Amino acid sequence: MGWSTSELARLTGTTVNTIRHYHKLGLLTEPERMSNGYKQYGASHLLRLHQIRRMRELGIPLADIGAVEDDHEQQQLALKQLESDLGEQIAALEKARTEVSQLLEHGAPIDTASGFIDIAARMSNSDRALMNIYSTLYEESALAEMRSIMSETTPYDQEVDELAEDADDATRARLAEQIAPSMKRQLEAKPWLLAPTERMTGDVKMGQAAIIGSLRELYNDAQIDVIQRAFIAVFPTLEIPDADRERFIAFIKHVAAEEEG
């Protein structure tokens, strides 16, 4: 009893092209041809295809099947690696499912960074976008501290968020004075923010450029001016270690030198 390529494909729940692909990879031997020139597959091919399909169902890559099929030790190694990979995939899926549930629960935009979902409603679109970028640049502990900053809002934050680019000088000066106390408190509690590249992961130079470019894109000149005024006012009064103050000065000099270069 024998089968044609299409019949074998139907028997094994695969396709003719898949069978041909297995031939090319050397995973399935070519069958003998009948007198009329047609291929005739036998039981050994049927069993082999079921074996391949089983290994594929378990997640073993096609490239590894040839090496593990008749070697028990290699099979065990492949299964252990597969078990580890599946554990990581399951953990990633469980994390994604949890975050999807949180996004639905809080009605947060789909691009909200992990860890900021429950406070997304209190964040401006610009702040939320910036935290999304930060989530790819900073270590987890730094992001946790960023989250605490975003959780603490003042009555003036929304006014700064909505500040028009043509806001007059008096408005800018008033807002800078109003946000200064909160800024001072945050910088004294988290002085690493003065030189934020200290807590970055990956390429620091590229991360720094990403932040500078994002700030200019997300916030208008008036908003940046208010933040700069507030910082200039509070920096001399910050109660922080000398090392943090010196690190900030070195950071500013480094940024200025790079921009000039």
Side-chain angles (χ1 to χ4, degrees):
M1 174 86 185
W3 302 281
S4 66
T5 307
S6 60
E7 288 171 336
L8 183 66
R10 289 198 299 272
L11 277 171
T12 55
T14 186
T15 67
V16 170
N17 285 337
T18 297
I19 291 174
R20 290 170 178 165
H21 184 56
Y22 290 165
H23 285 319
K24 290 180 180 179
L25 294 177
L27 296 177
L28 183 68
T29 59
E30 291 277 358
E32 294 183 0
R33 292 182 180 271
M34 297 183 293
S35 58
N36 58 10
Y38 289 105
K39 292 178 180 179
Q40 186 174 45
Y41 292 88
S44 62
H45 298 98
L46 178 65
L47 294 171
R48 177 58 175 157
L49 277 175
H50 279 296
Q51 183 186 49
I52 294 172
R53 188 174 71 173
R54 178 57 179 155
M55 286 191 277
R56 295 295 292 131
E57 287 174 347
L58 290 173
I60 296 175
L62 280 177
D64 295 340
I65 288 177
V68 306
E69 57 181 327
D70 295 320
D71 189 322
H72 181 71
E73 183 177 351
Q74 287 298 319
Q75 288 179 4
Q76 293 300 299
L77 290 174
L79 288 172
K80 288 179 180 178
Q81 181 61 52
L82 184 59
E83 183 180 37
S84 175
D85 293 343
L86 289 172
E88 293 177 1
Q89 291 172 28
I90 290 170
L93 287 171
E94 288 178 342
K95 180 176 183 290
R97 184 177 183 180
T98 297
E99 292 188 359
V100 168
S101 296
Q102 290 175 342
L103 288 167
L104 290 170
E105 178 185 353
H106 297 284
I110 198 169
D111 63 342
T112 304
S114 175
F116 295 84
I117 295 173
D118 61 330
I119 62 170
R122 283 178 271 164
M123 298 168 64
S124 68
N125 290 340
S126 295
D127 286 348
R128 193 176 63 253
L130 185 63
M131 291 305 103
N132 202 345
I133 294 168
Y134 277 15
S135 69
T136 66
L137 300 176
Y138 285 96
E139 59 188 51
E140 288 297 324
S141 61
L143 291 173
E145 294 189 28
M146 295 279 191
R147 184 191 184 287
S148 72
I149 293 173
M150 291 296 164
S151 299
E152 297 179 18
T153 58
T154 72
Y156 314 108
D157 290 335
Q158 185 174 354
E159 192 173 352
V160 174
D161 292 338
E162 298 174 353
L163 188 65
E165 189 164 8
D166 60 355
D168 59 41
D169 190 74
T171 300
R172 299 184 187 198
R174 173 181 61 81
L175 282 174
E177 183 178 356
Q178 289 169 328
I179 69 171
S182 174
M183 179 182 290
K184 183 175 188 295
R185 185 173 62 256
Q186 295 288 2
L187 290 175
E188 288 179 342
K190 306 170 183 65
W192 67 270
L193 290 168
L194 291 167
T197 54
E198 294 294 319
R199 302 280 289 275
M200 281 185 179
T201 60
D203 191 309
V204 171
K205 186 175 181 180
M206 290 182 65
Q208 177 181 301
I211 289 177
I212 292 173
S214 299
L215 289 172
R216 290 171 177 168
E217 182 72 24
L218 294 171
Y219 302 95
N220 62 42
D221 290 342
Q223 292 170 319
I224 293 174
D225 181 45
V226 167
I227 294 170
Q228 288 176 335
R229 291 186 190 209
F231 180 78
I232 290 171
V234 304
F235 181 68
T237 70
L238 289 177
E239 297 180 9
I240 57 174
D242 290 340
D244 288 312
R245 193 178 296 275
E246 291 168 4
R247 186 162 53 248
F248 167 72
I249 294 172
F251 170 72
I252 290 300
K253 288 180 178 178
H254 178 71
V255 170
E258 286 202 340
E259 288 187 348
E260 288 178 2

